[in-house]
């Protein structure tokens, strides 16, 4: 584990992985979109409007996945004082918040023709809205202190406390009788979604995941570079003082 | 146990000495409530419909308002540092501070809630249901809020950020608190929701002190 704490090694691995991720993303995005918007059949009840699912579902999955990532990174940061874990968690937070916002907005656009309303206060929607505020709180707390290390550690604790919301989001559609439909893919008795719709959906999930990895690497690199500049400046100032 | 009682006595003593400041939450609770009849109209059936929800939301805000005094002044005068360094589990001291905070904030709201139920024209049943639900719910609010207050000790921006951190975590208490009260008032029974409120309290009692203690240690590093 500590082998990967070295920022230089991270840079080397990131440099090696980044082009592959970028190429895969460039290739898969048009394929996924073509499958989702053209090849996949319209839904027998919802018609063409159901195609928004191919954006909504991956965004919602990635919203919770990214939060889980932040929570795990926070545990690693708090327990082992792993410096890269903090950088990764902070880098992932705005991306996760963006995915959550996309899930909420596309869900709203989908809800208008299907449920007849932009928003309902059902358990799934409410818990995802809470998730959005948890992301904002995490980012705000991280940047609320003069000392960045203090902010990072405080935000890690908050991320762990907020993780209680994840199971609530996942099981909200089973525990409460809500307007939001129950899960149709990750079920014990196999997916209830038609294969012709499942494959485009999975492709889009991979596209979203690749995007997350790409942005995460770029943002982590940026933060490490920023830290380096900060250190060099501090050293320069100290040198000038002598 | 002696340090626990000593800290409890100290915090209660401080709260009594700053009487006006301690009562601020309760005063806000009543004052803000009196705005609702003016805002939505004073007809009894509207007030009775929204009464339980309004009182719960205001209880959330009233607790939120008083969170800052939980650790900030101890941080400023240095006594928080002594608590962290003391040869007593910090979790125990956090629990004592939360208990003292609840006795001087949440318990006041519980005691005043029948009066507020009267002002909101709630049926007579609410005079015991509402305090019972608040009795189970407000300690949870203090405990969750204690995490947020500890995370923000010594930060540049105060209360607005506390609200952003703490209110999302308060939402489950609000949902089950309101549905417990409404359940009883509509004759559906709210025993299950009361049970969930109790479960959340037990969870918070187990998890909030260690989380708060961790946050305080980070703050004083």
């Amino acid at each position: 584990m500590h082998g990967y704490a070295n920022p230089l090694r991270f840079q080397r691995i990131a440099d090696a992985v980044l082009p592959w991720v970028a190429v895969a993303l460039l290739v898969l995005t048009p394929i996924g979109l073509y499958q989702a918007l053209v090849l996949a059949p319209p839904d027998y009840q919802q018609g063409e409007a159901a195609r928004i699912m191919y954006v909504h579902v991956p965004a919602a999955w990635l919203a919770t996945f990214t939060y889980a990532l932040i929570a795990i990174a926070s545990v690693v940061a708090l327990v082992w004082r792993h410096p890269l874990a903090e950088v990764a968690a902070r880098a992932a937070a705005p991306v996760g918040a963006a995915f959550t916002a996309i899930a909420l907005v596309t869900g709203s656009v989908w809800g208008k023709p299907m449920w007849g309303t932009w928003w309902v206060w059902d358990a799934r929607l409410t818990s995802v809205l809470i998730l959005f505020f948890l992301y904002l709180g995490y980012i705000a707390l991280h940047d609320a202190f003069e000392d960045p290390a203090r902010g990072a550690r405080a935000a890690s604790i908050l991320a762990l406390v907020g993780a209680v919301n994840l199971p609530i989001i996942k099981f909200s559609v089973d525990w409460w009788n809500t307007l939001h439909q129950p899960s149709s893919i990750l079920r014990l008795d196999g997916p209830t979604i038609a294969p012709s719709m499942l494959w485009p959906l999975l492709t889009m999930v991979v596209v979203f995941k690749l995007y997350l990895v790409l942005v995460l690497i770029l943002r982590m690199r940026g933060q490490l570079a920023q830290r380096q500049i900060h250190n060099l400046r501090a050293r320069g100032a100290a040198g000038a003082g002598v | 146990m002696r340090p626990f009682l000593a800290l409890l006595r100290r915090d209660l003593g401080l709260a009594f000495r700053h009487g006006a400041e301690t009562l601020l939450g309760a005063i806000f609770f009543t004052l803000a409530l009196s705005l609702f009849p003016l805002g939505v109209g004073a007809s009894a059936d509207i007030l009775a419909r929204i009464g339980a929800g309004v009182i719960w939301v205001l209880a959330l805000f009233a607790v939120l308002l008083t969170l800052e005094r939980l650790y900030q002044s101890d941080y400023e005068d240095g006594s928080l540092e002594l608590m962290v360094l003391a040869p007593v589990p910090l979790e125990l001291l956090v629990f004592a501070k939360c208990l003292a905070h609840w006795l001087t904030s949440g318990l006041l709201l519980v005691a005043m809630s029948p009066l507020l139920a009267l002002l909101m024209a709630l049926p007579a049943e609410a005079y015991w249901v509402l305090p019972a639900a608040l009795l189970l719910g407000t300690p949870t609010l203090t405990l969750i809020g204690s995490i947020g207050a500890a995370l923000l000790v010594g930060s540049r921006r105060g209360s607005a950020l506390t609200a952003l951190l703490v209110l999302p975590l308060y939402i489950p208490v609000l949902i089950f608190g309101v549905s417990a009260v409404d359940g009883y008032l509509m004759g559906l029974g709210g025993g299950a929701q009361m049970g969930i409120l109790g479960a959340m309290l037990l969870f918070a009692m187990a998890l909030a002190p260690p989380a708060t203690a961790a946050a305080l240690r980070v703050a004083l590093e």
Side-chain angles (χ1 to χ4, degrees):
Chain A
M1 165 95 58
H2 284 87
Y4 297 98
N6 183 340
L8 277 178
R9 181 174 294 186
F10 165 77
Q11 295 275 25
R12 268 208 307 281
I13 295 175
D15 289 345
V17 172
L18 197 61
W20 294 101
V21 174
V23 168
L25 187 66
L26 279 178
V27 172
L28 271 182
T29 307
I31 295 178
L33 283 176
Y34 182 71
Q35 280 183 328
L37 298 179
V38 181
L39 287 185
D43 188 80
Y44 82 103
Q45 266 183 336
Q46 306 190 353
E48 302 288 348
R51 292 189 194 282
I52 202 164
M53 171 184 81
Y54 301 111
V55 178
H56 176 71
V57 174
W61 278 7
L62 266 286
T64 45
F65 176 83
T66 309
Y67 196 89
L69 202 72
I70 292 175
I72 293 168
S74 298
V75 174
V76 174
L78 284 175
V79 175
W80 290 288
R81 301 239 172 172
H82 194 300
L84 269 182
E86 268 168 8
V87 175
R90 178 63 183 85
V95 193
F99 282 139
T100 316
I102 292 173
L104 285 169
V105 170
T106 54
S108 182
V109 171
W110 195 5
K112 184 62 185 161
M114 292 310 138
W115 301 339
T117 171
W118 294 105
W119 183 262
V120 286
W121 287 98
D122 89 354
R124 177 56 72 83
L125 276 69
T126 310
S127 51
V128 173
L129 187 66
I130 297 176
L131 181 68
F132 184 61
F133 287 122
L134 286 175
Y135 273 121
L136 296 188
Y138 176 87
I139 296 170
L141 182 62
H142 200 289
D143 301 343
F145 297 92
E146 301 285 354
D147 173 18
R150 160 87 209 275
R153 304 205 54 191
S156 300
I157 296 174
L158 181 72
L160 285 186
V161 172
V164 292
N165 190 31
L166 287 182
I168 298 181
I169 296 177
K170 170 73 183 113
F171 296 111
S172 58
V173 283
D174 305 323
W175 291 346
W176 286 281
N177 200 359
T178 61
L179 199 51
H180 193 287
Q181 61 173 348
S183 175
S184 54
I185 295 161
L186 289 175
R187 295 166 64 104
L188 285 178
D189 49 353
T192 54
I193 185 173
S196 58
M197 295 166 115
L198 181 61
W199 284 111
L201 184 59
L202 290 182
T203 316
M204 287 306 286
V205 170
V206 173
V207 167
F208 271 66
K209 268 213 173 128
L210 286 171
Y211 176 77
L212 172 67
V213 173
L214 183 79
V215 176
L216 202 57
I217 291 179
L218 289 177
R219 286 184 54 89
M220 283 176 73
R221 262 186 172 179
Q223 282 188 16
L224 289 174
Q226 209 169 13
R227 205 178 270 188
Q228 234 162 354
I229 292 172
H230 183 84
N231 287 346
L232 286 175
R233 280 229 178 101
R235 209 175 298 163
V242 174
Chain B
M1 210 57 205
R2 277 219 352 255
F4 179 87
L5 291 176
L7 185 58
L8 187 65
R9 205 169 311 135
R10 167 188 176 265
D11 269 24
L12 288 179
L14 280 175
F16 281 119
R17 212 161 302 161
H18 301 131
E21 212 185 308
T22 309
L23 287 176
L24 213 58
I27 294 170
F28 165 83
F29 196 37
T30 333
L31 177 66
L33 186 95
S34 67
L35 300 178
F36 278 84
L38 306 175
V40 299
S43 84
D45 46 319
I46 295 180
L47 291 184
R49 259 304 277 116
I50 62 170
V54 168
I55 292 173
W56 261 104
V57 170
L58 292 179
L60 257 60
F61 286 144
V63 174
L64 188 69
L65 269 183
T66 58
L67 283 177
E68 212 175 336
R69 71 162 194 251
L70 202 46
Y71 302 109
Q72 186 65 32
S73 60
D74 282 351
Y75 174 73
E76 280 160 9
D77 68 15
S79 41
L80 195 61
E81 208 149 334
L82 292 177
M83 289 177 211
V84 173
L85 294 173
V88 185
L90 184 56
E91 288 77 3
L92 189 72
L93 299 180
V94 163
F95 195 76
K97 284 196 74 69
C98 288
L99 183 60
H101 178 265
W102 178 72
L103 287 173
T104 54
S105 64
L107 194 59
L108 282 178
L109 305 184
V110 173
M112 285 172 56
S113 58
L115 177 70
L116 299 193
L118 179 89
L119 290 176
M120 290 303 271
L122 289 174
E125 229 187 340
Y127 300 156
W128 68 269
V129 172
L130 196 61
L134 284 169
L135 196 62
L136 281 173
T138 46
T140 317
L141 300 181
T142 293
L143 286 163
I144 296 174
S146 142
I147 304 174
L151 286 172
L152 281 171
V153 161
S155 91
R156 279 172 291 148
R157 20 199 142 135
S159 36
L161 193 49
T162 318
L164 178 60
L165 299 191
V166 168
L167 282 181
L169 301 171
Y170 276 180
I171 291 175
V173 179
L174 176 68
I175 291 174
F176 288 103
V178 173
S179 74
V181 177
D182 276 342
Y184 278 115
L185 295 188
M186 290 174 192
L188 304 168
Q193 289 93 322
M194 286 286 197
I196 291 177
L197 278 180
M200 288 196 285
L201 174 57
L202 291 176
F203 250 102
M205 276 166 70
L207 297 179
T212 307
L216 291 177
R217 288 199 187 99
V218 168
L220 293 173
E221 229 163 44

